[in-house]
């Protein structure tokens, strides 16, 4: 018993669970992500079977929402710098609660499109504002830990939400679909209440270190280094497009691996990502380590792409499955390392403009959502090995770019962070 208590005490210290801010953030993320897990698993079925919208029209609405998010997210981030990350996040939670709630009434397609644009914009803007809030609450040495902990909690809650969605999916009940959407809307109200209880320190005076643009107003569009890491983040997010859109088609159509291997491999990815993210983030916590994480993450994703191609080239089911397991191990390592490179987005941003800069950085992922499916899914599935190799090599080379361009900034940034 004493050993268990000592282990729990050690874990509590490592994850900073003794801090009220940590507990409230984790609770809000869990509430938010649980509802998201339910909605993600049921939304397409609800809109196509209950509302009778076509699959292509639903996809069009989501694409329009992503386009709105691409245009508006930086402006929302800049506004958050003026009014405060906490207030902005609470408002975004409110918008999401109302928007998702109104999906229950969206019987006309035009209303569905309007709501999709509103909620998708709020969805895509929220993570950056949440990270800006964490930047106010935690110093650099603790930031990597809280980012990893939040990621693990989010993944776990999404998995639980997806499991909870099993009943409406299996029964195909319109009433249960509506209940699921209602739970998702309510989850944002709970998250907003939890965030409102945080005690956020007042913003410190602006830093005058080397990261800030001198003589002009700081903006990521004028910051070559920030533009670089934003583009790199967008390319690195290829791993997400592969996982969610390519693999289901590739495994079923282009490999001899058993069909059940798809869900088994996705479960393996989720479990390993949850277990690995916190220690990986702590291992690559400072600026120089984050540069290495970007390079190693690109190399790991490249290795995964080569293994996926190899799985499609073998004719034995168990051999294909074994290669896919190796690919998924490399994929998960790449995913964790890419996320561990996130400190770059904090360290290269002026503290007084953290919301604007982080929102701009998040455009990399929004951009991947916009163009990734078009540029990657079809070619990978239909052309096979040559495209797998090309995508893997591109992701690897791009992952090395931050290290090549920014390694000389390491000392200056680390000194500024230590002050």
């Amino acid at each position: 018993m004493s050993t268990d208590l000592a282990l729990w005490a050690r874990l509590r210290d490592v994850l900073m669970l003794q801090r009220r801010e940590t507990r409230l953030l984790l609770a809000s993320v869990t509430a938010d992500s649980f509802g998201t897990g339910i909605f993600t698993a049921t939304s397409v079925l609800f809109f196509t079977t209950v509302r009778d919208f076509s699959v292509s029209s639903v996809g069009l609405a989501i694409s329009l929402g992503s386009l709105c998010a691409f245009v508006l997210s930086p402006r929302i981030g800049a506004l958050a710098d003026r009014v405060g990350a906490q207030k902005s996040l609470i408002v975004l939670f409110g918008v999401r609660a109302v928007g998702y709630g109104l999906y229950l009434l969206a019987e006309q397609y035009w209303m569905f499109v309007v709501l999709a644009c509103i909620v998708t914009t709020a969805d895509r803007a929220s993570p950056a504002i949440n990270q800006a809030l964490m930047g106010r609450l935690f110093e650099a040495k603790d930031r990597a830990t809280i980012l990893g902990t939040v990621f693990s909690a989010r993944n776990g809650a999404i998995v639980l939400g997806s499991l909870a969605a099993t009943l409406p999916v299996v029964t195909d009940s319109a009433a249960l679909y509506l209940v699921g959407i209602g739970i998702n809307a309510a989850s944002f109200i709970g998250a907003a209440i939890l965030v409102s209880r945080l005690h956020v320190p007042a913003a410190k005076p602006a830093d005058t270190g080397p990261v800030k643009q001198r003589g002009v107003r700081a903006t990521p569009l004028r910051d070559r280094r920030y533009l670089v890491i934003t583009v790199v983040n967008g390319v690195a997010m290829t791993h997400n497009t592969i996982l969610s859109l390519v693999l289901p088609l590739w495994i079923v159509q282009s490999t001899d691996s058993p069909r059940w291997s798809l869900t088994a491999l996705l479960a393996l990815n989720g479990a390993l990502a949850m277990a690995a993210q916190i220690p990986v983030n702590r291992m690559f916590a400072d600026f120089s380590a984050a540069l290495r994480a970007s390079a190693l993450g690109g190399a790991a994703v490249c290795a995964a792409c080569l293994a996926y191609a190899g799985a499609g080239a073998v004719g034995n089911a168990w051999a294909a499955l074994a290669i896919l397991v190796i690919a998924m191990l490399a994929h998960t390592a790449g995913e964790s390392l890419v996320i561990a490179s996130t400190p770059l987005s904090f360290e290269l941003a002026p503290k007084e403009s953290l919301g604007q800069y982080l929102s701009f950085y998040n455009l990399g992922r929004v951009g991947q959502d916009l163009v990734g499916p078009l540029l990657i899914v079809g070619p990978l599935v239909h052309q096979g090995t040559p495209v797998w190799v090309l995508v893997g090599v591109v992701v690897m080379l791009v992952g090395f770019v931050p290290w090549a361009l920014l390694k000389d900034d390491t000392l200056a940034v680390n000194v500024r962070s230590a002050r």
Side-chain angles (χ1 to χ4, degrees):
M1 181 65 71
S2 59
T3 303
D4 293 340
L5 291 176
L7 181 61
W8 166 245
R10 172 60 180 162
L11 184 64
R12 186 171 178 267
D13 290 339
V14 169
L15 301 184
M16 301 180 294
L17 295 179
Q18 73 277 12
R19 294 183 57 170
R20 183 173 181 271
E21 300 94 328
T22 302
R23 297 193 300 271
L24 287 173
L25 276 174
L26 291 179
S28 69
V29 165
T30 300
D32 172 348
S33 301
F34 179 76
T36 298
I38 294 176
F39 185 81
T40 301
T42 60
S43 58
V44 173
L45 293 172
F46 170 76
F47 291 123
T48 55
T49 63
V50 177
R51 292 293 185 240
D52 289 327
F53 302 144
S54 68
V55 173
S56 59
S57 66
V58 171
L60 175 62
I62 294 173
S63 296
L64 290 173
S66 296
L67 181 61
C68 289
F70 190 87
V71 173
L72 296 176
S73 290
R75 291 168 173 79
I76 295 173
L79 180 62
D81 289 326
R82 291 197 292 271
V83 304
Q86 183 182 30
K87 292 179 181 177
S88 300
L89 190 58
I90 292 171
V91 170
L92 286 172
F93 279 138
V95 170
R96 295 164 81 186
V98 173
Y100 279 106
L102 288 175
Y103 270 143
L104 299 173
L105 306 176
E107 297 183 359
Q108 292 80 31
Y109 181 69
W110 69 266
M111 185 177 181
F112 168 60
V113 171
V114 171
L115 289 173
C117 290
I118 293 172
V119 299
T120 303
T121 299
D123 283 344
R124 298 295 184 269
S126 293
I129 307 303
N130 195 34
Q131 289 180 0
L133 179 60
M134 287 186 275
R136 296 293 185 196
L137 292 170
F138 297 90
E139 297 298 328
K141 62 185 180 67
D142 295 328
R143 198 176 294 142
T145 298
I146 191 63
L147 285 170
T149 306
V150 163
F151 177 84
S152 295
R154 176 175 289 115
N155 264 14
I158 288 176
V159 170
L160 291 176
S162 299
L163 292 174
T166 301
L167 184 59
V169 169
V170 170
T171 61
D172 198 29
S173 166
L176 289 178
Y177 284 141
L178 294 172
V179 170
I181 292 174
I183 291 174
N184 184 40
S187 72
F188 299 117
I189 298 175
I193 293 172
L194 290 164
V195 168
S196 70
R197 297 180 61 191
L198 287 167
H199 300 307
V200 182
K204 296 179 180 179
D207 286 347
T208 58
V211 171
K212 185 177 179 181
Q213 298 287 325
R214 297 181 183 276
V216 297
R217 182 182 177 186
T219 169
L221 286 173
R222 296 172 180 165
D223 190 330
R224 177 181 62 87
R225 293 169 296 181
Y226 217 84
L227 285 171
V228 166
I229 66 168
T230 298
V231 173
V232 169
N233 183 49
V235 175
M237 283 297 122
T238 298
H239 75 78
N240 194 55
T241 302
I242 291 173
L243 189 69
S244 59
L245 298 178
V246 177
L247 276 192
L249 297 173
W250 179 253
I251 291 175
V252 172
Q253 297 179 7
S254 302
T255 77
D256 290 324
S257 183
R259 293 178 69 93
W260 54 260
S261 65
L262 171 60
T263 54
L265 288 166
L266 293 178
L268 176 65
N269 169 261
L272 290 177
M274 287 177 60
Q277 197 61 61
I278 296 172
V280 170
N281 268 37
R282 289 173 63 83
M283 189 182 304
F284 295 93
D286 61 30
F287 184 80
S288 59
L291 292 175
R292 295 196 301 273
S294 175
L296 292 172
V301 172
C302 179
C305 288
L306 297 179
Y308 287 135
V314 299
N316 180 275
W318 296 109
L321 176 58
I323 296 173
L324 285 171
V325 170
I326 294 172
M328 186 56 73
L329 293 176
H331 191 135
T332 306
E335 177 184 1
S336 298
L337 287 164
V338 167
I339 293 170
S341 69
T342 302
L344 297 176
S345 64
F346 284 90
E347 300 299 346
L348 290 174
K351 288 188 176 181
E352 72 277 8
S353 302
L354 197 56
Q356 179 186 8
Y357 272 67
L358 291 177
S359 295
F360 186 86
Y361 180 75
N362 193 52
L363 289 184
R365 178 163 189 170
V366 178
Q368 177 68 219
D369 291 342
L370 277 173
V371 304
L374 177 64
L375 296 180
I376 295 173
V377 178
L380 280 177
V381 172
H382 298 303
Q383 303 301 321
T385 299
V387 181
W388 277 113
V389 174
L390 176 62
V391 170
V393 170
V394 169
V395 172
M396 179 178 65
L397 293 177
V398 171
F400 274 90
V401 169
W403 180 84
L405 292 182
L406 304 176
K407 59 183 179 180
D408 293 336
D409 293 342
T410 296
L411 179 61
V413 172
N414 283 345
V415 168
R416 184 175 69 89
S417 299
R419 290 176 181 172

